Structures are given as structure tokens and as C-alpha cells.
Amino acid sequence: MNMKNQIIRSVVIWLILALVAAPVFSQSETDNGAINNLRHQLGQVRDLLDRAKDIVRSSNNPIAERALIEAMKLWENARDNFDRGRYRIAAFLCRQAGEKAKAALSAARMAEQYEGAVVRRLERAGELLDRAKEAIASDDRQNLHAIYESARHNLDRAWEFYRSRIYKPALKLANQVEKTAEKIISASRDRIRIEEKFQRQLEKVNQLVEQARMTVADCDREAARHLLQQAEKSFGIAQEMEREHKPKAALQALKRARQMAIEAIRECQGMEQMLRRHERLRTQADRLSDMISPGSGASGDAARKLIRQAYEQLDLAREHIDKNQVEQAAASLKAAQLALSRAERHISNHQ
Amino acid sequence: MRNCGLGILLSFIALAGAIGDSALGSELDLSVGVGYEFISQEYFLDSLVQSGQDSLAATTALKTTYLDDLKAQLHLKYSPFEDRKVLLGSQYEQTSEFVRAKLLADYRPRFGRSRLDITSELDWRGRYEGSVEPGDDYLLGQTRARLTVPLSGSVSARWQLRADFVDFDSSSSFNYDHYRLGAKAGIGKFFADFSMLDIDLFLVTRRVPDSSELNYTNFGAEGAFLGFYANGDFDLFGRTEWKDYKQAGNKGDYWRAELEGRNKIRLADDYFTLQEIDFELSLFGGSDLISYDYTRLGFTALLGVEKHGLTFGLGGDFEHQSEINTEIGAGDNYFEAGLAAELDYIRLDQFFGSLESVWGYRKLENESDLQSSFSFERLDLIADWKLLGVINLNILLSAEWEWHTNKGENSQVFLVSSGLSYCL
């Protein structure tokens, strides 16, 4: 019995041992794979830390430097635990070291505080400043030149900070230089815009003076001739001031030229004369309208269209006359007259 | 090197002496003044992170003042001829530790309808107080010559050559002697409505005698258009460039494209709207841990009023950055939105002032324990004021505050650069 019991006990023990040993042996195989994998991960994180060292050092960013130190400590702990066979703890620390290294790199890049990016920004600021200098080369405004000089000085400072590996102020100065250069370029272009506006006004006043010349030639009044001379003189001064880059004086002279030309026209063409001219043109338009016979073809259609335009201009002229707007009324009457002349030519050709 | 500086100083004195009895038609501008420069950064470190959980202190503010200098300055400009085609200048500046001297020369002759524009600058800085460190003493020179030749009434061609160099008394990895040579060629066209178009091609090469790693060749094209229409105007500027460091694995190389646009529409009663767009795309050739391809897009829209030289605009300011293929995972992707206010005042030759403020929030896509989203205020002031016709006051000021979700990352930066001068 005892013998039998002993045999049974031995079988049971062996069975238990077999049951226990099987997973133990299989786990050992799995652990070997995991351990190798962990060793590989430790190597990878080590590589990452080595590569990060130079970048973080050159970033001169204390937050990134601190994170990298922590990452290195975590890695050392991971390695230590790995050597002692505490693989789970080692794996956990290795993962944390990797995350911390990435965070350190990210912090180094976050403010773009790394050498290459700083150089790019400084060179870009220099290019913008060169463009600003070109923009103000023919600009007399001393303010813009003084601001340019300050910005140039700050760019020199930014390079000095860069050379001392102090990146944050170097970048801020570069930003400031860029903003200043953009302002200078913008102010310079505002001047071009003002000049463009002035040229348009110059053209308008030139047309008005020309109109005054024609009107005065017909009316033969001494006062009107005197006003026209004043207008022409002021117009000449405006052009001269503009050439000498004196926009304020040029604009004043131009305004005076416009005023004199209007007064010259008024002297010859009071509102009563305007009204008489308006009536005369309307009669002409009615007459031409009656002259177009049905079936007059393309010429007739063109003439009708022109007469319609003339009526529209005459209505507009009437509105300006009622509002005492001499310049606009004269322009509308002139446009009506032009349309009627062209309509008359179409009608003549057809007949 | 110190001899160079001495040479410049002597040239300065000689120039001043030579023009003592200026010829008829010549013009001399001499100004003396003082200036003040201040640059400071303050940021916060969480001492729990720095010193461990046992630390009693919570947050520590670290303040670094990089520059706090009062300076004396003397500027001289001399035009020997009435048409100012020749301009000679020199500047002398002294702080409590450094002396800086600068010589300037501009020559702008005309040959018929063609124009030549040559500008040159020689800048020396030396430390006379305290221990000299690498980068303290240097000589810097640059010159640029540009020829513009009209091809027709509205089209002109231009060529430009440019050279610059830096020579340090003692060099280090960040203070390296180098020289650059560059060329540019392009055409410009004026349109009848005063619009203008410029297109240029450029090539720049940098050589660093002590390190071939820092040599590069940079080439590309740029174009600008300034256009007018009935109720407004717009500017467009585009640039594309390649930079080649000629290193193994294309390290440091990149291709970059940028486009800036600005459109101003004039509404009734002195009101206007302004839209600005700023786009940048950078693609890096080599692979390293910090240079990743990215796009950045900024947009500003303002509604404003301008009257008697005063312009005020208020609106929104937006920016989005997206990085591509970041190996380290946490890309610098963000979106920021802010309220922008601009105030400009220009009074012809008396005052130029510009104040800009953007108050907003930057949302980071990938936050970590070292970087969190933040609110910010950015302030920029540019001003130049001529008082009584002889006193000139100018100031450039920038300030930036960042308030992070994680208070330990809060920071602020101040930059002030100012000058007060008297024109003799």
C-alpha cells in the first residue's frame, strides 16, 4: 500500500512538476525575445540621446537641456535595472527616457532656437532690410532713413547675439528688424500710391485747363484770360514741385490751378450760358433724332445709340447745373456735344 | 584687427577734417547723441521638476538681461556735390565696454538714362573694457553695385553684384571668418497706371576658410508686383530659393518658397479694409532630428480708418503651422488666432510712428510636460520724431508675453533700442 501510495505520490509530483515546468520553459523562450528586444530599444534610445546631445547643446535652451539631462538619467536607470535583470522596470524607464529625449528635442525646436533656423531668420531679415534700403534710396524722408539705420544697427546686434549663442534675443531682434523693414517698404509704397493719385489728379486738372483754354478762346474776356494764365502758371508750378518731390506744395498748386480754370470757365460760361448751351444741344438732339429714317440700317442704329447717350449726358448736365456744379456740367455738355457730332456723321453717311 | 579699428577711427577724423571747409554745393550733416539699448528675457522654471518632489519652492523666475547699455554716438554724412550722387559717412559709437566705428560710401552716378548705384560699408567693433572673448572684436565689410539700364519707356533691366566678409580677431565654432559673393539679374516694368512688376534671379555663395561644412550656395528667383485698381491697391511678393551646403546626405540643404500678399480696399468716408497673407513652405534635403518640412500660413484682416496721416486698423490675425514627417513624433503643429490692432501716424519729415499689438492664443497640437498651449501679447513700437528741426528721437520697442497652460513655461521678452541726437 505504502509502495503504491509512494508510486502514486511520485506520479502526481512529476505531473505537477511537468505542468509547472512547461509554462516556465515556454515563458523563458518568450522572455529571451523580450530581453533582446529591450536591449535593442535601449540601444535605440542611446542613439537618440547621442544625436540629441549636439542639437540641444547648440540650442542653448535651458528647458531642452534640463529635459535631456533627465532623459539621460532615466536611460542610466533603465540600463542599471536591465543589468540587474529587472526587465519590466527597465522597459518602463527606457520608454520614459525616449519620451523625455523627444521632448528635449521638441523644446529645442519649439522656439526655433537652433543654429540653422536662427541663421535663416537673420539672413532673411537682412534681405528684407536690403529691400527697404532700395525702397528709400530716392526717398527724401529723413524719418525713414533714421529708422532704417536703427534697424540696421539692431540686425548687427542680432548677429552678435547669434555669435554669442544667445538665440532668443537674436530671433526677437530679427523679428523686429523684419517688421521695421516691412513698415519702411510699406511707407515707401504709400508714397508711390500718393504719387499715382497725384498723377491722376494732374491729368484731370490738365483736361480742365484745356477745356478752359477752349472756352476762353471763344468768349474773349480779359478777366477770363487772366484767370486762365493763373491756372496755367499754377499747373506748371505743380509739375515742378512734383519733380522736386514736394508733394504737399505740388498738391496745393494743383488745387489752385483747378480753381482758376473753373473760375475762367465760369467767367465765360455763367450758369445762364450753360443753360442756353444745354437747350441748344437738346434741340440739336431732337432734330437729329427726327432725321433718322426707318430702315436706315447699321448707321441709323449707331446714330440712335449715340443720341440716346447724348440725352443721358444732357440730363446729367441739367442735374449739375441745378446743383451749381460748373465743372461737372461742362464735362457732361461736352460729352453730349461729342456724341451728337458723331451721330450727325453717321446720319450724313447714310444719306 | 585693432589696427583696422584704429584705421577706421583715423579715417573718421580725416573725413571730418577734410570737409572742414566744405565746397560750394556740398552738404554736411553732423549729429551727436546718446542712445539706450535694453534686452531682457524672463522665464519660469518649475523647481518641482528641477529639484524633485521634496523641493519646497514651486516656481522660480529666471531673468536674464542681455543688454543694458547707454551709448554715445557721433554720426557724420558728407555729400560733396549738390546732386548727392556721392555720399560719404562715418559713425562712431561707444558703450561702457565696446567701441564701434563705421565708414559708409555711396556712389550713384547716371550715364544717360542708365543708373549705377554703389553702396559700401566697413564696420569695426572692439572691446576696450573687460576680458576679450571670441567674437568681441571683428571687422565687417560689405559692398553692393547695381546697374539699371532702361530697355524701353517702361521696361528696365538691372544687374547687381554683392560681396561681404567678416574677419574676427579670434574665431570659434560660432565666430567664423567668412565671405559671401552674390549676383542678381532682373527686369522691372512700369505700367501706365503706376503698377510695377519686378522679377529677379539670384545666386549667392558663402565660403568659410576654417570649415567646409559651413560653405553654401544659395540660388533662386523672386518677384514683386505692386498694383492699383479703382478703389485700392495690392502688393505681392514671391520668392523661391535653394540652399546647398554640399555635404554628405544633403545635410542642411533646403528648398523654400514664400508668398506675401497685401490688399487694401478703400471704402467710403476714409474707411478701408486690409488683408494680408503670408505663406511659407520649407522642404529639407537631409534628415536630422530637428529640420522637418513644414508649411506656415498667416492671414490678417483689418477694418480701419485713415485721416490726416493717422491710420487705425482693427481685426483678426491667424497663423497655422503644419510639419510633415516628424521622426520624433511631437511636431510643432499649431494654430493661433488673435486680435490685431495697428496705429500708424505719419507727418511728413516730422514724425513717423507705428504701434502694433496682437493679443491671442496659440493652440499646440502636441502638448507635453515641457510645452503647452499659451495666450500671448505681442507689442511693437517704431517711432522717429524730429523736434525743432534739429533734435531727433527714435525708438524701436518690442515686448512679448506668453502665458502657458502650464504656468512654469510662462515667459516674457523686452527689447528697447532708442536714440536721441542733435544735428549740428
Side-chain angles (χ1 to χ4, degrees):
Chain A
M1 186 68 186
N2 283 342
M3 185 68 174
K4 193 181 173 185
N5 283 346
Q6 274 182 351
I7 291 166
I8 292 168
R9 197 180 296 148
S10 299
V11 170
V12 169
I13 288 167
W14 277 110
L15 275 172
I16 291 168
L17 280 173
L19 283 168
V20 172
V24 167
F25 279 114
S26 69
Q27 193 180 350
S28 174
E29 276 179 28
T30 312
D31 280 353
N32 279 337
I35 291 163
N36 284 334
N37 194 22
L38 182 55
R39 187 180 288 113
H40 180 68
Q41 278 177 19
L42 278 165
Q44 276 187 324
V45 174
R46 178 77 249 178
D47 284 348
L48 181 65
L49 287 168
D50 286 343
R51 288 166 74 192
K53 260 185 209 165
D54 284 344
I55 293 161
V56 171
R57 193 183 302 126
S58 70
S59 81
N60 213 21
N61 180 334
I63 293 166
E65 282 170 5
R66 199 186 69 211
L68 187 69
I69 290 167
E70 284 176 25
M72 287 165 78
K73 277 182 188 165
L74 284 165
W75 187 88
E76 293 294 342
N77 276 340
R79 179 79 220 186
D80 188 45
N81 279 286
F82 181 83
D83 291 343
R84 293 179 185 194
R86 297 174 188 161
Y87 301 121
R88 280 188 184 167
I89 298 171
F92 175 73
L93 291 171
C94 180
R95 231 180 1 258
Q96 277 205 324
E99 290 300 316
K100 207 51 127 180
K102 286 175 184 175
L105 282 166
S106 198
R109 305 167 65 242
M110 187 62 194
E112 295 177 314
Q113 294 179 346
Y114 54 99
E115 195 265 344
V118 180
V119 171
R120 275 202 294 281
R121 291 301 297 275
L122 290 173
E123 288 185 347
R124 184 169 184 255
E127 282 152 14
L128 260 174
L129 205 56
D130 284 346
R131 278 173 57 203
K133 190 177 183 182
E134 283 172 22
I136 57 168
S138 57
D139 202 314
D140 298 337
R141 285 177 291 180
Q142 290 305 311
N143 297 115
L144 293 183
H145 287 272
I147 290 166
Y148 166 80
E149 290 296 341
S150 296
R152 171 64 67 190
H153 181 86
N154 281 1
L155 186 62
D156 292 344
R157 277 273 182 274
W159 277 108
E160 284 164 12
F161 278 120
Y162 159 75
R163 289 178 197 123
S164 306
R165 297 177 61 201
I166 305 171
Y167 294 145
K168 184 81 176 177
L171 278 169
K172 282 301 294 176
L173 276 167
N175 270 345
Q176 194 186 54
V177 169
E178 278 184 22
K179 273 188 183 290
T180 309
E182 278 165 5
K183 275 287 167 199
I184 291 170
I185 292 167
S186 176
S188 168
R189 289 192 164 172
D190 276 344
R191 187 191 179 112
I192 295 170
R193 288 179 193 107
I194 291 165
E195 281 175 1
E196 187 264 354
K197 197 174 161 188
F198 179 80
Q199 286 298 329
R200 285 185 189 178
Q201 286 173 338
L202 199 72
E203 187 56 36
K204 275 186 188 170
V205 175
N206 190 25
Q207 284 171 4
L208 189 67
V209 171
E210 185 58 36
Q211 195 183 328
R213 263 189 215 113
M214 286 161 63
T215 312
V216 170
D218 287 344
C219 97
D220 194 28
R221 290 186 64 166
E222 186 55 38
R225 264 202 300 276
H226 179 70
L227 285 166
L228 177 63
Q229 279 172 0
Q230 292 289 314
E232 286 171 334
K233 194 178 168 187
S234 293
F235 187 74
I237 291 169
Q239 286 177 308
E240 199 179 317
M241 291 294 109
E242 196 261 336
R243 275 195 296 272
E244 290 178 11
H245 300 295
K246 293 175 180 167
K248 210 169 179 178
L251 202 62
Q252 275 175 350
L254 202 62
K255 277 182 183 168
R256 185 172 160 76
R258 179 175 172 272
Q259 192 57 36
M260 292 294 110
I262 290 170
E263 282 181 23
I265 293 168
R266 274 198 184 132
E267 188 65 32
C268 286
Q269 297 182 337
M271 280 304 170
E272 281 181 21
Q273 277 176 296
M274 286 264 187
L275 273 171
R276 277 201 293 276
R277 194 175 165 205
H278 179 267
E279 286 307 314
R280 205 167 50 241
L281 289 170
R282 186 166 277 281
T283 309
Q284 189 188 355
D286 293 343
R287 184 174 53 81
L288 289 172
S289 200
D290 292 341
M291 284 170 74
I292 305 169
S293 54
S296 51
S299 292
D301 289 343
R304 266 191 213 97
K305 200 175 168 186
L306 285 162
I307 290 168
R308 202 162 48 243
Q309 283 176 11
Y311 276 126
E312 283 169 9
Q313 288 297 328
L314 285 168
D315 288 345
L316 204 60
R318 182 68 212 212
E319 279 179 32
H320 290 313
I321 290 167
D322 291 344
K323 289 176 187 170
N324 216 21
Q325 294 169 332
V326 178
E327 195 184 340
Q328 291 88 335
S332 295
L333 288 173
K334 194 178 174 185
Q337 191 175 19
L338 197 69
L340 290 174
S341 304
R342 289 172 63 192
E344 200 164 14
R345 274 203 298 276
H346 279 291
I347 293 166
S348 306
N349 288 343
H350 179 65
Q351 287 174 344
Chain B
M1 182 73 83
R2 287 177 192 279
N3 291 337
C4 292
L6 194 63
I8 291 178
L9 279 174
L10 288 173
S11 305
F12 181 92
I13 295 160
L15 181 60
I19 57 180
D21 56 344
S22 54
L24 196 67
S26 64
E27 200 176 312
L28 172 68
D29 297 319
L30 181 63
S31 69
V32 291
V34 290
Y36 176 66
E37 286 172 303
F38 177 76
I39 298 178
S40 166
Q41 181 186 7
E42 189 169 342
Y43 55 93
F44 299 85
L45 278 179
D46 187 344
S47 60
L48 287 177
V49 177
Q50 201 173 27
S51 313
Q53 294 292 334
D54 297 335
S55 170
L56 289 172
T59 304
T60 315
L62 297 177
K63 189 173 181 179
T64 310
T65 299
Y66 299 105
L67 206 61
D68 186 4
D69 271 351
L70 194 65
K71 63 185 180 185
Q73 50 194 15
L74 179 62
H75 289 199
L76 184 74
K77 269 187 184 172
Y78 175 58
S79 315
F81 309 109
E82 203 172 2
D83 57 6
R84 294 173 73 91
K85 70 180 177 188
V86 175
L87 183 70
L88 302 170
S90 52
Q91 298 172 6
Y92 175 78
E93 189 183 296
Q94 186 169 347
T95 66
S96 58
E97 292 177 334
F98 290 98
V99 171
R100 185 197 291 277
K102 201 179 243 189
L103 279 180
L104 309 152
D106 292 353
Y107 179 47
R108 295 192 173 94
R110 280 179 175 271
F111 306 100
R113 291 170 60 216
S114 302
R115 289 195 322 266
L116 181 64
D117 185 347
I118 302 175
T119 61
S120 301
E121 193 178 306
L122 198 60
D123 185 1
W124 169 78
R125 190 182 83 154
R127 181 187 274 276
Y128 70 94
E129 191 67 50
S131 58
V132 179
E133 290 174 17
D136 277 354
D137 294 3
Y138 65 80
L139 182 70
L140 183 152
Q142 55 180 312
T143 187
R144 192 193 68 189
R146 187 168 65 162
L147 178 67
T148 308
V149 179
L151 301 177
S152 69
S154 62
V155 180
S156 59
R158 55 178 174 263
W159 296 269
Q160 181 178 294
L161 287 173
R162 185 195 168 115
D164 58 69
F165 75 90
V166 184
D167 180 21
F168 291 96
D169 251 12
S170 55
S171 58
S172 70
S173 56
F174 285 83
N175 299 282
Y176 44 83
D177 296 349
H178 72 256
Y179 58 88
R180 289 197 309 170
L181 288 170
K184 203 183 224 186
I187 56 164
K189 179 168 170 60
F190 268 92
F191 296 90
D193 65 350
F194 266 68
S195 295
M196 54 177 94
L197 172 71
D198 289 323
I199 295 173
D200 291 285
L201 299 172
F202 63 88
L203 172 71
V204 181
T205 179
R206 182 172 82 171
R207 291 292 172 265
V208 182
D210 295 332
S211 168
S212 62
E213 279 193 1
L214 296 165
N215 295 344
Y216 67 67
T217 302
N218 181 207
F219 58 97
E222 57 186 29
F225 185 75
L226 170 61
F228 295 97
Y229 53 92
N231 292 318
D233 51 76
F234 67 99
D235 303 335
L236 272 179
F237 174 77
R239 180 182 165 100
T240 178
E241 61 174 327
W242 286 262
K243 203 165 206 175
D244 181 4
Y245 281 87
K246 296 194 189 319
Q247 285 192 64
N250 298 324
K251 192 183 165 194
D253 297 355
Y254 64 85
W255 173 74
R256 193 169 149 269
E258 68 175 302
L259 180 70
E260 288 169 23
R262 178 184 171 281
N263 180 45
K264 190 172 185 178
I265 304 168
R266 286 179 179 80
L267 310 170
D269 299 328
D270 303 317
Y271 285 93
F272 68 87
T273 63
L274 179 74
Q275 302 84 43
E276 288 177 340
I277 191 165
D278 194 349
F279 173 75
E280 190 182 344
L281 167 66
S282 291
L283 303 176
F284 294 89
S287 64
D288 60 49
L289 286 171
I290 50 168
S291 302
Y292 293 109
D293 303 346
Y294 68 88
T295 57
R296 190 183 296 138
L297 178 66
F299 179 70
T300 306
L302 300 177
L303 175 67
V305 61
E306 56 187 339
K307 205 164 193 177
H308 308 306
L310 187 71
T311 307
F312 175 71
L314 188 68
D317 186 79
F318 309 91
E319 190 170 287
H320 178 253
Q321 178 171 287
S322 177
E323 290 193 324
I324 309 154
N325 302 326
T326 55
E327 194 184 327
I328 60 167
D332 267 357
N333 298 356
Y334 66 79
F335 176 76
E336 70 174 42
L339 180 71
E342 287 186 18
L343 181 69
D344 291 350
Y345 181 60
I346 300 175
R347 195 176 163 86
L348 197 70
D349 233 5
Q350 283 183 9
F351 187 85
F352 178 97
S354 169
L355 179 66
E356 277 185 32
S357 162
V358 183
W359 175 68
Y361 184 74
R362 178 181 286 196
K363 171 72 184 159
L364 301 180
E365 200 176 285
N366 302 293
E367 297 197 43
S368 72
D369 58 345
L370 290 176
Q371 53 187 39
S372 58
S373 302
F374 57 91
S375 306
F376 61 84
E377 165 62 30
R378 296 176 193 138
L379 200 67
D380 284 284
L381 170 71
I382 302 166
D384 186 273
W385 194 7
K386 198 162 192 176
L387 301 156
L388 307 169
V390 288
I391 296 171
N392 188 265
L393 172 68
N394 75 66
I395 182 165
L396 300 181
L397 181 148
S398 289
E400 184 178 318
W401 293 266
E402 284 181 12
W403 299 282
H404 287 255
T405 313
N406 174 8
K407 288 190 173 67
E409 295 161 43
N410 290 358
S411 71
Q412 53 198 43
V413 182
F414 295 100
L415 281 87
V416 180
S417 170
S418 63
L420 179 70
S421 60
Y422 177 73
C423 303
L424 299 169

